[in-house]
Amino acid sequence: MKYGLSSLAFAVAVVCQSAAAIPPAHEPADLPLLEQADQHATVSQRVTTYFTRYHFKQMELNNELSSEILDRYLEMLDYNKMFLLQADVEAAAEYENLFDDMISTGKLKPAYSLYNAALKRRFDRYVYALSLLDPEQPFDFTIADDKYHYDREDAQWAATEAELDELWRQRVKYDALNLTMTGKEWADVVETLEQRYNGALKRLTQTNSEDVFQTVMNAFARSVEAHTSYLSPANSERFEQNMNLSLEGIGAVLQADYDYTVISSLVPGGPADKSGEIAPEDKIVAVAQGDDEDAEFVDVVGWRLDEVVELIKGPKGSTVQLQVIKANQSVGSPPQVVSIVRDEVKLEDRAAKAEVKTLETGPYAGRKMGVITIPGFYNQLTRDVMDLIDEMTAAEVEGLIIDLRGNGGGALSEAITLSGLFIDKGPVVQVADGSGRKEINGDRDNVTYYDGPLVVMVNRYSASASEIFAAAMQDYGRAVIVGENTYGKGTVQQHRGLARRFDFFDEPLGSVQYTIAKFYRINGGSTQMRGVNPDVTFPSFLNADEFGESSQDNALPWDQLESARYAPLKEFEPTRVNQWQQTVDERIQENPEFVYVLEDIEEFKADQDQAWISLVLAEREAEQEREDAKKLERANARLVRLGKEPVEKLEDLPNEIEVEDPYLTETIALSFDIIDDLKLAMN
């Protein structure tokens, strides 16, 4: 018998065993039958108005877009194709041309039916996962060629229950193997996974109407454009807290990566950053409250991101403990416990900072270079940078490096005024809306605050306002841009609440964020998609297809306007720039830390198309041993370079070893290359 999504229920997954080895803590009857709330019809209509009338694309909600929304909705319900069958997806096709009507009228019953059905599918899968756990019979981790195919984004939907069963056998065995590799006994492995899967069942029973509505609206939003979104009331409140930088917590931006909560970035100067024990790309696998050594850790693998956030944030002065798998470790590695005292994350923690840097060896040893690091374009940034420039000038540095690596942007006005510190006057950025209206913004004070040598560092994570500043410096010939091609976000978003003055709803209505304009360089080209291409490039792990605006679905295209009227201050001769690049390439090959970077890039690129991981314990242990040996070898080489004795084990490494930032070191050397080269050219 074939079951369709529109029937409001899926067939219960057939479990081959006569009885589950681990019984589920919940029954299918515990699942809620979700229906849209009273306010959702009104909110849906208001969202439609914003996205169709005021968005840059000025698009129409029609059958073509409806089909895209359905595809994205199914993807959001099962992005890794681990729950739904091909037959379920085919049955959902009856709604292909109905999502536009549902959203515009606010009558979302079919969308809720699909969600209810998918909810039951998810429930059945976790029940099946529990059925595979036998406290008396460990998994056999010696079966040759047994693999877990963890990345199924581009895979076909499973055709049969048997195919789904095999995927989940791999998944459960993978989870068990990771725990086994941390040193857990089988009984502890089973207990942990029992809590994890039953916890997933519990969270399914707690699903609410807003969860469904948010999924529908964001399927709509992301079908319009990459940076358009609906924020639920809870997410809207969190957005305001982040904008005000008043959230009490650890000062870390989190993101979901399949079943793991991953550190996306750290707020400079925040509690997590100050701890020195946590870094971007680290995975949080468990959370405990308080600083007691016996505090009970809650396994958060598989949790929803908002639930993990709620568990981690808390009042100022309280302590949270995290079990973290470091970014450079496999998921089977023993987690590190990090204790962090929560604090209020304030604007000053993200302030720009400056430091005088010198090189210890080589032809430029002892010469001084000023480095100003800007983590974000916050209000009053330009004033802070003026003070930092004064400090660096007083320290008699020979030039300045503006470090914008990892800077995701911020206030457009600050990008303009910051640019004005380095030019007398002139345009900085062009902005155009969907109707073609163009505005040119620039500096008009006829004052150059700093006219010395300038280098700007960027990487793939430099976006938006960072790209505006870097592009202006490049177009004027005011600075040499160094690093990686930037992200390519050349769009302007507007945030609007959905509540109205005379609303009488009991619940808040959330908000929307949508694109209203695009940025353009003063030479006419957009920063959208293409970003800023550095004059001198460094080796990179990432390319546009893997990370950046061009990898986003429905991103607005690159285009260009007429060039603004401006006069470049200088033009760096291509032969001179090519020579700088050649010099950098040669030095990189001689820098031990860059040699490590190059090795890691080669390894990363060799493995990036592999979408599976071995389920053979010996193979995973051998892989871990190779990784540990590589870390130990590199650490000992660093110790020797520092004139210290090498160690025999990773655990014996001293905590105070400072690992050189090879990108910054090379940029400092390049800056002196440029200074000396241009001085020579003037004589």
Side-chain angles (χ1 to χ4, degrees):
M1 179 177 180
K2 181 178 179 181
Y3 291 82
L5 277 158
S6 58
S7 66
L8 299 184
F10 288 115
V12 177
V14 177
V15 178
C16 297
Q17 292 86 341
S18 58
I22 299 294
H26 295 274
E27 299 295 328
D30 297 336
L31 289 173
L33 184 60
L34 300 166
E35 298 178 339
Q36 70 180 84
D38 293 340
Q39 71 272 18
H40 285 156
T42 299
V43 175
S44 183
Q45 292 170 341
R46 290 177 184 175
V47 170
T48 300
T49 298
Y50 276 114
F51 290 175
T52 57
R53 293 185 185 177
Y54 307 124
H55 196 281
F56 180 89
K57 289 179 71 172
Q58 299 184 342
M59 43 69 66
E60 180 182 355
L61 184 53
N62 53 25
N63 284 347
E64 181 180 354
L65 185 60
S66 177
S67 178
E68 291 184 36
I69 296 171
L70 172 61
D71 289 343
R72 194 165 301 277
Y73 188 52
L74 291 172
E75 178 184 304
M76 294 172 79
L77 293 179
D78 185 9
Y79 72 94
N80 214 36
K81 300 182 174 68
M82 293 285 288
F83 299 99
L84 303 182
L85 292 171
Q86 178 64 37
D88 302 327
V89 177
E90 292 172 356
E94 68 177 279
Y95 300 129
E96 184 177 18
N97 295 328
L98 294 180
F99 263 80
D100 55 335
D101 301 318
M102 285 191 286
I103 290 171
S104 61
T105 62
K107 297 177 181 178
L108 303 170
K109 185 175 180 179
Y112 275 76
S113 297
L114 294 177
Y115 198 102
N116 282 320
L119 196 63
K120 193 168 189 306
R121 275 293 197 202
R122 299 182 76 89
F123 188 96
D124 294 341
R125 282 295 111 198
Y126 284 110
V127 170
Y128 181 76
L130 286 165
S131 78
L132 297 176
L133 299 175
D134 185 343
E136 305 299 326
Q137 184 62 52
F139 286 126
D140 183 355
F141 296 121
T142 65
I143 300 174
D145 296 325
D146 201 7
K147 302 171 182 176
Y148 170 46
H149 295 266
Y150 58 84
D151 185 355
R152 289 181 39 78
E153 183 179 357
D154 297 323
Q156 298 295 315
W157 300 92
T160 64
E161 292 278 0
E163 286 186 39
L164 278 182
D165 289 349
E166 172 58 15
L167 292 173
W168 276 84
R169 181 199 67 80
Q170 296 174 9
R171 157 74 185 275
V172 175
K173 191 172 181 180
Y174 167 78
D175 289 345
L177 179 54
N178 289 340
L179 293 171
T180 299
M181 291 182 65
T182 66
K184 287 182 179 288
E185 297 295 330
W186 180 249
D188 295 328
V189 170
V190 171
E191 181 181 0
T192 300
L193 293 183
E194 177 184 359
Q195 293 174 352
R196 183 179 299 178
Y197 301 151
N198 269 321
L201 290 177
K202 180 181 179 181
R203 289 189 294 278
L204 292 177
T205 67
Q206 296 171 338
T207 308
N208 58 50
S209 178
E210 185 61 40
D211 293 327
V212 187
F213 185 74
Q214 179 176 249
T215 306
V216 178
M217 290 299 103
N218 276 317
F220 174 26
R222 296 306 168 87
S223 297
V224 174
E225 189 258 343
H227 298 287
T228 295
S229 59
Y230 162 76
L231 285 75
S232 68
N235 287 334
S236 186
E237 180 183 0
R238 192 172 296 120
F239 176 87
E240 295 294 340
Q241 289 173 328
N242 288 335
M243 289 298 290
N244 295 328
L245 291 173
S246 61
L247 181 64
E248 291 183 350
I250 66 171
V253 179
L254 308 180
Q255 66 182 24
D257 184 6
Y258 192 29
D259 278 343
Y260 289 94
T261 298
V262 180
I263 303 293
S264 174
S265 62
L266 300 178
V267 176
D273 184 37
K274 289 178 180 178
S275 76
E277 297 184 271
I278 199 167
E281 305 304 320
D282 289 353
K283 297 180 177 67
I284 299 173
V285 296
V287 180
Q289 306 299 328
D291 55 5
D292 192 335
E293 289 184 4
D294 298 323
E296 181 179 353
F297 277 91
V298 178
D299 184 294
V300 296
V301 177
W303 279 40
R304 287 167 31 155
L305 182 61
D306 58 347
E307 293 176 324
V308 180
V309 170
E310 288 299 318
L311 202 60
I312 292 176
K313 75 178 185 181
K316 176 181 178 180
S318 61
T319 299
V320 61
Q321 296 185 64
L322 309 177
Q323 284 187 357
V324 174
I325 296 176
K326 301 300 292 179
N328 57 356
Q329 294 179 318
S330 68
V331 291
S333 302
Q336 172 184 328
V337 176
V338 179
S339 182
I340 300 175
V341 178
R342 300 178 177 103
D343 200 353
E344 186 174 359
V345 181
K346 298 179 180 179
L347 180 60
E348 50 264 33
D349 294 328
R350 302 192 65 181
K353 61 181 183 293
E355 189 175 0
V356 177
K357 290 285 190 178
T358 59
L359 298 177
E360 296 182 2
T361 61
Y364 303 129
R367 293 172 63 175
K368 294 191 288 187
M369 180 63 59
V371 178
I372 297 178
T373 303
I374 302 177
F377 283 78
Y378 56 88
N379 292 331
Q380 306 303 321
L381 166 68
T382 304
R383 181 180 299 174
D384 287 350
V385 172
M386 291 171 69
D387 293 338
L388 296 175
I389 290 174
D390 292 342
E391 289 180 23
M392 295 298 97
T393 302
E396 298 182 339
V397 298
E398 295 186 46
L400 286 181
I401 295 171
I402 304 294
D403 188 351
L404 298 179
R405 290 177 296 171
N407 184 322
L412 171 63
S413 59
E414 292 294 338
I416 296 168
T417 54
L418 183 69
S419 300
L421 297 182
F422 305 102
I423 60 174
D424 284 340
K425 64 177 180 178
V428 171
V429 62
Q430 304 186 79
V431 183
D433 64 20
S435 64
R437 288 189 294 261
K438 183 176 75 172
E439 182 177 307
I440 300 176
N441 297 294
D443 176 58
R444 300 180 178 85
D445 63 6
N446 289 312
V447 175
T448 300
Y449 198 79
Y450 174 79
D451 62 1
L454 185 66
V455 170
V456 177
M457 286 187 77
V458 293
N459 64 6
R460 195 65 179 157
Y461 298 94
S462 305
S464 196
S466 292
E467 296 174 292
I468 291 170
F469 173 77
M473 295 300 97
Q474 189 176 57
D475 289 343
Y476 275 108
R478 180 62 187 87
V480 177
I481 313 301
V482 176
E484 305 171 74
N485 203 103
T486 60
Y487 188 90
K489 183 183 181 295
T491 56
V492 186
Q493 280 70 49
Q494 189 167 69
H495 181 256
R496 287 285 182 264
L498 293 168
R500 298 292 180 267
R501 182 176 179 182
F502 296 108
D503 285 339
F504 297 101
F505 297 111
D506 294 331
E507 301 293 332
L509 304 188
S511 59
V512 288
Q513 183 168 280
Y514 56 98
T515 298
I516 58 170
K518 290 175 72 173
F519 294 129
Y520 296 84
R521 301 170 67 133
I522 54 177
N523 69 8
S526 175
T527 55
Q528 175 67 6
M529 298 290 274
R530 297 186 182 181
V532 178
N533 187 28
D535 301 301
V536 178
T537 61
F538 286 157
S540 174
F541 285 87
L542 303 170
N543 59 45
D545 295 332
E546 297 158 355
F547 184 85
E549 187 75 4
S550 56
S551 68
Q552 300 294 311
D553 291 339
N554 297 311
L556 294 180
W558 179 89
D559 62 346
Q560 63 185 115
L561 303 175
E562 291 184 4
S563 172
R565 296 179 61 184
Y566 72 101
L569 301 175
K570 67 178 71 171
E571 293 185 12
F572 300 111
E573 299 174 7
T575 53
R576 195 181 302 277
V577 175
N578 290 339
Q579 181 58 54
W580 294 335
Q581 182 72 65
Q582 183 178 338
T583 301
V584 165
D585 292 341
E586 291 172 355
R587 266 200 306 256
I588 281 175
Q589 299 296 329
E590 300 171 358
N591 183 324
E593 292 297 335
F594 249 123
V595 170
Y596 300 153
V597 170
L598 294 172
E599 290 174 353
D600 290 343
I601 289 175
E602 287 301 311
E603 185 176 327
F604 171 79
K605 291 183 176 178
D607 295 340
Q608 66 179 340
D609 294 330
Q610 180 175 303
W612 55 267
I613 191 168
S614 173
L615 295 177
V616 179
L617 178 58
E619 293 178 3
R620 292 282 297 280
E621 287 179 335
E623 177 185 337
Q624 188 65 52
E625 288 173 2
R626 288 192 296 271
E627 283 297 311
D628 289 346
K630 180 172 72 174
K631 292 173 191 173
L632 183 61
E633 180 185 3
R634 291 180 178 181
N636 278 330
R638 290 178 181 125
L639 288 173
V640 170
R641 288 196 292 273
L642 292 171
K644 300 182 179 181
E645 290 294 319
V647 298
E648 294 185 1
K649 296 181 295 184
L650 284 172
E651 305 89 82
D652 298 332
L653 285 172
N655 294 324
E656 65 272 12
I657 294 181
E658 283 193 23
V659 178
E660 172 195 338
D661 177 352
Y663 291 88
L664 180 57
T665 299
E666 182 50 47
T667 301
I668 294 170
L670 172 63
S671 299
F672 288 125
D673 289 339
I674 294 170
I675 290 170
D676 290 355
D677 198 9
L678 294 182
K679 281 182 179 177
L680 186 62
M682 293 174 62
N683 293 333

